[in-house]
Amino acid sequence: RLPTLAVVGATGAVGSVMLDILSTRENVWGEIRLVASPRSAGKRLTVRGEEVEVQPLSPEVFDGVDVAMFDVPDEVSKEWAPVAVERGAVAVDNSGAYRMDAGVPLVVPEVNAAQTRDRPKGIVSNPNCTTLSMIVALGALHGAYGLTDLVVASYQAASGSGQEGIDTLHDQTEKVATDRTLGSRAGDVRAAVGDLGPYPAPLALNVVPWAGSLKEDGHSSEEMKVRNESRKILGHSELRVSATCVRVPVVTTHSLAVHATFDREVRAGEARELLASAPGVVVQDDPAGSEFPTPIDVVGTDPTWVGRIRRSVDDPRSLDLFLCGDNLRKGAALNTAQIAEVIAGEFTG
Ligand code: 2RA
């Protein structure tokens, strides 16, 4: 029997990428049920070439469901993932509600797929998109060389803030497009863009060193997620991580500059080969030929792209890398789908 899947949050920014992914990957599902808030229920969406009506979120909607994916805000997952589990489903959750829960595995199939089975609460968590945009490549390097330290600067796309982020970036970009004097006087861009949307400063013609909410000692929630989730996924509770998360005027695909230090000396050429053969990683690294990943070229693709691979000038145990990953695909929908497929394998053998 092919298992039944519920997609909760089917109408959101990640939800629509999910429907595309479910329609293009090898089909492992019987029925696919689409679920959303009562506000969006009744819409008809296409998945696997068929129109399906979106059902309102309710306990009964999980009856007969084997795997329920959640792409909804933390508080909705907190309330409804246990309801799905009670009704007999395994919940795969892409919110922050359960990621650091000791009874919930945090899974990236290329790195720690086996942990999917160890789910005492019936819930498996999907990491944050920023962690996911680098961790497949870093997991491969960790397996070979043993990571000790990570220094990360993120360049995060507007779609990490959902449709509101994308709309804000486009609206602001339109407002600054024709005045060529803008950006040369403090305050001129701020005055021109008006509405800041979900951001604390204009995103057009700018970079904003902030994502998420304020945590202890001035760190942002996004920076703490990069640290805590990397440690949990890699099973390395001593890993030292410093992150600075920055929003940039890119629509979709997060980028990261990473300084990674290992237990032993590393060679750039060897690391490049290792990454090139790692599942889910593509190396694009020829600066002489202007070959390196950029978000506008990576968007819409599944792998983590790595370039600018070089050994640190001052430390033979460190590598510097530049990574890009589509934050809506591998960063959210794709990884969730991959976890769900691992669970589907338990039903079909
Ligand atoms: C962001 N990581 O990019 C968040 C979204 N989950 O804002």
Side-chain angles (χ1 to χ4, degrees), residues 136-137 140-141 144-145 266-285 304 306-311 319 321:
V136 176
L141 292 171
Y145 307 124
V266 284
R267 280 179 213 291
E270 195 187 303
R272 203 172 284 121
E273 274 170 32
L274 187 130
L275 288 169
S277 62
V281 179
V282 172
V283 172
Q284 184 184 16
D285 191 18
T304 303
V306 193
R308 305 296 328 281
I309 302 163
R310 61 227 191 263
R311 186 161 84 168
L319 289 174
L321 322 153

Coordinates of all heavy atoms in Angstrom, one line a residue, residues 136-137 140-141 144-145 266-285 304 306-311 319 321:
V136 N 24.7 20.4 4.2 CA 25.0 19.2 3.4 C 26.5 19.2 3.1 O 27.2 18.2 3.2 CB 24.1 19.1 2.1 CG1 24.5 17.9 1.3 CG2 22.6 19.0 2.5
A137 N 27.0 20.3 2.6 CA 28.4 20.4 2.2 C 29.3 20.3 3.5 O 30.3 19.6 3.5 CB 28.7 21.7 1.5
A140 N 29.6 16.8 4.8 CA 30.6 15.9 4.0 C 32.0 16.3 4.5 O 32.8 15.4 4.7 CB 30.4 16.2 2.6
L141 N 32.3 17.5 4.7 CA 33.7 17.9 5.2 C 33.9 17.5 6.6 O 35.0 17.0 6.9 CB 33.8 19.5 5.1 CG 33.9 20.0 3.7 CD1 33.8 21.6 3.7 CD2 35.1 19.6 2.9
A144 N 35.0 13.9 6.8 CA 36.3 13.6 6.4 C 37.4 14.2 7.3 O 38.4 13.6 7.6 CB 36.5 14.1 5.0
Y145 N 37.1 15.4 7.8 CA 38.2 16.1 8.5 C 37.9 16.5 10.0 O 38.8 16.8 10.7 CB 38.5 17.4 7.8 CG 38.8 17.3 6.3 CD1 38.1 18.0 5.4 CD2 39.8 16.4 5.9 CE1 38.4 17.9 4.0 CE2 40.1 16.3 4.5 CZ 39.4 17.0 3.6 OH 39.6 16.9 2.3
V266 N 44.1 20.6 6.0 CA 43.2 20.3 4.9 C 43.9 20.9 3.6 O 44.6 21.9 3.7 CB 41.8 20.9 5.0 CG1 41.0 20.1 5.9 CG2 41.8 22.3 5.4
R267 N 43.6 20.2 2.5 CA 44.1 20.8 1.2 C 42.8 21.2 0.4 O 41.9 20.4 0.3 CB 44.9 19.7 0.4 CG 46.3 19.6 0.9 CD 47.0 18.5 0.2 NE 48.0 17.8 1.0 CZ 49.1 18.4 1.5 NH1 49.4 19.6 1.2 NH2 49.9 17.8 2.3
A268 N 42.9 22.3 -0.3 CA 41.7 22.8 -1.0 C 41.4 21.8 -2.1 O 40.2 21.5 -2.3 CB 42.0 24.2 -1.6
G269 N 42.4 21.3 -2.8 CA 42.1 20.4 -4.0 C 41.4 19.1 -3.5 O 40.4 18.7 -4.1
E270 N 41.8 18.6 -2.4 CA 41.2 17.4 -1.9 C 39.8 17.7 -1.4 O 38.8 16.9 -1.7 CB 42.1 16.9 -0.7 CG 41.8 15.5 -0.2 CD 42.6 15.2 1.1 OE1 43.8 15.3 1.0 OE2 42.0 14.8 2.1
A271 N 39.6 18.8 -0.7 CA 38.2 19.2 -0.3 C 37.3 19.4 -1.5 O 36.1 19.0 -1.4 CB 38.3 20.4 0.6
R272 N 37.9 20.0 -2.5 CA 37.0 20.2 -3.7 C 36.6 18.9 -4.3 O 35.4 18.7 -4.7 CB 37.9 21.0 -4.7 CG 37.1 21.7 -5.8 CD 38.0 22.6 -6.6 NE 38.5 23.8 -5.9 CZ 39.8 24.1 -5.7 NH1 40.7 23.4 -6.1 NH2 40.1 25.2 -5.0
E273 N 37.5 17.9 -4.4 CA 37.1 16.6 -4.9 C 36.1 15.9 -4.0 O 35.1 15.3 -4.5 CB 38.3 15.7 -5.0 CG 39.1 15.9 -6.3 CD 40.4 15.2 -6.3 OE1 40.6 14.1 -5.7 OE2 41.3 15.7 -7.0
L274 N 36.3 16.0 -2.7 CA 35.4 15.4 -1.8 C 34.0 16.0 -1.9 O 33.0 15.2 -2.0 CB 35.9 15.6 -0.4 CG 35.2 14.9 0.8 CD1 36.2 14.2 1.6 CD2 34.4 15.9 1.6
L275 N 33.9 17.3 -2.0 CA 32.6 18.0 -2.1 C 32.0 17.6 -3.5 O 30.7 17.4 -3.5 CB 32.8 19.5 -2.0 CG 33.1 20.0 -0.6 CD1 33.5 21.4 -0.6 CD2 31.9 19.8 0.3
A276 N 32.8 17.5 -4.5 CA 32.2 17.2 -5.9 C 31.6 15.8 -5.9 O 30.6 15.6 -6.6 CB 33.3 17.3 -6.9
S277 N 32.1 14.9 -5.0 CA 31.5 13.6 -5.0 C 30.4 13.4 -3.9 O 29.8 12.3 -3.8 CB 32.6 12.5 -4.9 OG 33.2 12.7 -3.7
A278 N 30.2 14.4 -3.1 CA 29.2 14.3 -2.0 C 27.8 14.4 -2.6 O 27.5 15.3 -3.4 CB 29.4 15.4 -1.0
P279 N 26.8 13.5 -2.2 CA 25.5 13.6 -2.7 C 24.8 15.0 -2.3 O 25.0 15.4 -1.2 CB 24.7 12.5 -2.0 CG 25.8 11.6 -1.3 CD 27.1 12.4 -1.2
G280 N 24.2 15.6 -3.3 CA 23.4 16.8 -3.0 C 24.3 18.1 -3.0 O 23.9 19.1 -2.7
V281 N 25.6 17.9 -3.5 CA 26.5 19.1 -3.6 C 27.0 19.2 -5.0 O 27.3 18.2 -5.6 CB 27.7 18.9 -2.6 CG1 28.7 20.1 -2.7 CG2 27.2 18.7 -1.2
V282 N 27.1 20.4 -5.5 CA 27.7 20.7 -6.8 C 28.8 21.7 -6.5 O 28.6 22.7 -5.8 CB 26.7 21.3 -7.8 CG1 27.4 21.8 -9.0 CG2 25.6 20.3 -8.1
V283 N 30.0 21.4 -7.1 CA 31.1 22.4 -7.0 C 31.2 23.2 -8.2 O 31.1 22.7 -9.3 CB 32.4 21.6 -6.7 CG1 33.6 22.6 -6.8 CG2 32.4 20.9 -5.4
Q284 N 31.2 24.5 -8.1 CA 31.4 25.4 -9.2 C 32.5 26.4 -8.8 O 32.2 27.4 -8.0 CB 30.0 26.2 -9.5 CG 30.1 27.1 -10.7 CD 28.8 27.9 -10.9 OE1 28.0 28.0 -10.0 NE2 28.7 28.5 -12.1
D285 N 33.7 26.1 -9.2 CA 34.8 26.8 -8.5 C 35.9 27.0 -9.5 O 36.9 26.3 -9.5 CB 35.3 26.0 -7.3 CG 36.3 26.7 -6.5 OD1 36.3 28.0 -6.6 OD2 36.9 26.1 -5.7
T304 N 23.1 22.0 -3.0 CA 23.9 23.0 -2.4 C 25.1 23.3 -3.3 O 25.8 22.3 -3.7 CB 24.5 22.5 -1.0 OG1 23.4 22.2 -0.2 CG2 25.3 23.6 -0.3
V306 N 28.8 25.0 -4.2 CA 29.9 25.5 -3.4 C 31.0 26.0 -4.4 O 31.3 25.4 -5.4 CB 30.6 24.4 -2.6 CG1 31.6 24.9 -1.6 CG2 29.5 23.5 -1.8
G307 N 31.5 27.2 -4.0 CA 32.6 27.7 -4.8 C 33.6 28.4 -3.9 O 33.5 28.4 -2.7
R308 N 34.6 29.1 -4.5 CA 35.6 29.9 -3.8 C 36.3 29.0 -2.7 O 36.5 29.5 -1.6 CB 35.0 31.1 -3.1 CG 34.2 32.1 -4.1 CD 35.1 32.7 -5.1 NE 36.5 33.0 -4.7 CZ 36.9 34.0 -3.9 NH1 36.0 34.9 -3.5 NH2 38.1 34.1 -3.6
I309 N 36.5 27.8 -3.0 CA 37.1 26.8 -2.0 C 38.6 27.1 -1.9 O 39.3 26.9 -2.9 CB 36.8 25.4 -2.4 CG1 35.3 25.1 -2.5 CG2 37.5 24.4 -1.4 CD1 35.0 23.8 -3.3
R310 N 39.0 27.6 -0.8 CA 40.5 27.8 -0.7 C 40.9 27.6 0.8 O 40.1 27.8 1.7 CB 40.8 29.2 -1.1 CG 40.1 30.4 -0.3 CD 39.5 31.4 -1.3 NE 39.1 32.6 -0.5 CZ 37.8 32.8 -0.1 NH1 36.9 31.9 -0.3 NH2 37.5 33.9 0.5
R311 N 42.2 27.2 0.9 CA 42.7 27.0 2.3 C 43.1 28.4 2.8 O 43.6 29.3 2.1 CB 43.9 26.1 2.3 CG 44.4 25.8 3.7 CD 45.3 24.6 3.7 NE 46.7 24.9 3.4 CZ 47.7 24.1 3.5 NH1 47.4 22.9 4.0 NH2 48.9 24.5 3.2
L319 N 39.4 26.1 6.0 CA 39.0 26.4 4.6 C 38.0 27.6 4.6 O 37.2 27.7 5.5 CB 38.2 25.2 4.0 CG 38.9 23.9 3.7 CD1 37.9 22.8 3.3 CD2 39.9 24.1 2.6
L321 N 34.9 29.1 2.2 CA 34.0 28.6 1.1 C 32.9 29.6 0.9 O 32.6 30.3 1.9 CB 33.3 27.3 1.5 CG 34.1 26.2 2.3 CD1 33.1 25.4 3.1 CD2 34.8 25.4 1.3

